[in-house]
């Protein structure tokens, strides 16, 4: 995939209507009160918005929020699958579930942050959106309703994409968190408009794309998290480009078991043992250093108040499960990143959500904060871990897209990036 894309700076936006895809899928209070519990994603969009407005563009912002079911029948089906009694599922309840996913609170917050009015259209590309877009002046911004209120959004329906595109003259994508999805508002619209990236996507492409395509070496990849099966793509791709691969987290135990180790009740995927052995062989054949844990901190249950026991890797007693890397492994791994040119990290080293099993993840985060290497964090939980442990501002780049950053590291083509104009 070509990561070198045109940005808002490569196109004249003065006096133009710009359709701007943002990621305003912010967490909301569970009580349906419309309170935004974390506005980080809205604030992250400000540089691109402010640039466009200052350059004299009229900005038509859009985003999805949550997973609304745009048809009553589909909603009933989904709720029934979740175990709800179909007799209690009324049209009014469905309407309420939609109403809770309005972007109205986002419009209010965005307006506060920008210090100017942000009008919310009642629809995505219907009469109200069209009228408001037509009247929008340079320097003004409006917001379309939740793009997923339209059935055509997730189906990438060309009719919806064209209706959205018809309101504007330029498409700017800044929703990195959604670029791995080929939806009408993330990719489809680019069929009808000149399409460029905003600053957020630009930064992701520069850092992650740069580290994958042309890394400052040695490139060390630290891979952890829960399951081998969810990281196959990342392991495969990074094995082709990294100089060192470090394995931690729950997936390490499948590697350990595959070598004949005793892993007690640790996370284990029997079907992936052969794959684990193949990866070890492949790394050796390629001259890639592959490091596995040499000791492990176990718990006697999966809980914050579990009793703990530190043992050599492959020697976990029955009744115990590995929940973090041990102190010798910490030393090994921290040494391995010291002289790195670039470190890509995806997946916590242990169950960092429990203080008793957060030491491995914290030690790695601290080691990264002290290297001169370019440090890149991808994956939703890894980003959360680095933030929670207080090392966020010490990293070169923390990706804003969980799923998108994973697919990026897997080397997959991202539809929301591929659709942008090449630089
Ligand atoms: P990311 O979202 O960064 O890609 P993952 O979703 O793959 O990361 O994995 C994150 C989860 O892995 C965390 O919730 C963490 O608790 C869990 N995890 C890490 N190590 C272990 C372990 N040894 N046993 C069970 N779960 C683990
Ligand atoms: Mg995750």
């Amino acid at each position: 995939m070509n990561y070198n894309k045109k940005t808002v700076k490569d196109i004249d936006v003065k006096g133009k209507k710009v359709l701007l895809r943002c990621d305003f899928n912010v967490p909301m209070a569970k009580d349906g009160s419309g309170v935004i519990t974390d506005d980080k994603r809205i604030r992250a969009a400000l540089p691109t918005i402010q640039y466009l407005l200052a350059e004299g563009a009229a900005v038509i912002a859009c985003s999805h929020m949550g997973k609304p079911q745009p048809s009553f029948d589909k909603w009933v089906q989904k709720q029934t699958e979740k175990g709800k009694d179909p007799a209690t599922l009324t049209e009014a309840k469905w309407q309420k579930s939609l109403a809770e996913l309005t972007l109205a609170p986002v419009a209010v917050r965005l307006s506060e942050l920008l210090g100017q009015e942000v009008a919310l259209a009642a629809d995505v590309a219907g009469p109200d959106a069209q009228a408001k877009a037509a009247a929008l002046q340079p320097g003004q911004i409006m917001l379309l309703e939740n793009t997923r209120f339209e059935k055509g959004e997730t189906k990438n329906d060309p009719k919806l994409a064209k209706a959205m595109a018809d309101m504007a003259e330029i498409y700017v994508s800044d929703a990195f968190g959604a670029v791995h999805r080929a939806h009408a508002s993330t990719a489809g619209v680019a069929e009808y408009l000149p399409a460029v990236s905003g600053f957020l996507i630009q930064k992701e492409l520069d850092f992650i794309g740069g580290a994958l395509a042309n890394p400052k070496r040695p490139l060390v990849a630290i891979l952890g998290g829960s399951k081998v099966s969810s990281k196959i793509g990342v392991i495969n791709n990074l094995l082709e480009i990294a100089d060192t691969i470090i394995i931690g987290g729950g997936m390490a135990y499948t590697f350990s078991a595959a070598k004949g180790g005793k892993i007690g009740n640790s996370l284990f995927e029997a079907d992936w043992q052969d794959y684990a052995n193949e990866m070890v062989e492949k790394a050796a054949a390629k001259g890639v250093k592959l490091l596995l844990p040499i000791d492990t901190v176990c718990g006697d249950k999966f809980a914050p108040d579990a009793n703990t026991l530190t043992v050599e890797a492959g020697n976990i007693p029955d009744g115990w499960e590995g929940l973090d890397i041990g102190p010798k492994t910490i030393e090994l791994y921290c040494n391995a990143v010291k002289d790195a040119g670039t470190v890509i990290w995806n997946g916590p080293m242990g169950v960092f959500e429990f203080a008793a099993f957060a030491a491995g993840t914290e030690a790695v985060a601290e080691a990264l904060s002290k290297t001169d290497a370019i440090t890149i964090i991808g994956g939703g939980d890894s980003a959360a871990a680095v933030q929670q442990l207080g090392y966020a501002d010490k990293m070169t780049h923390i990706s804003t897209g969980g799923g998108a950053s994973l697919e990026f590291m897997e080397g997959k083509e991202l539809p929301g990036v591929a659709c942008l104009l090449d630089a």
Side-chain angles (χ1 to χ4, degrees), residues 224-226 230-231 249-250 253 267 302 322-323 346-353 378-382 406:
S226 48
S230 67
K231 297 294 162 80
Y253 304 101
L267 260 189
F302 187 86
L323 297 176
N346 169 248
M349 295 291 97
V351 184
F352 71 96
E353 295 92 336
D381 293 292
S382 310
L406 274 190

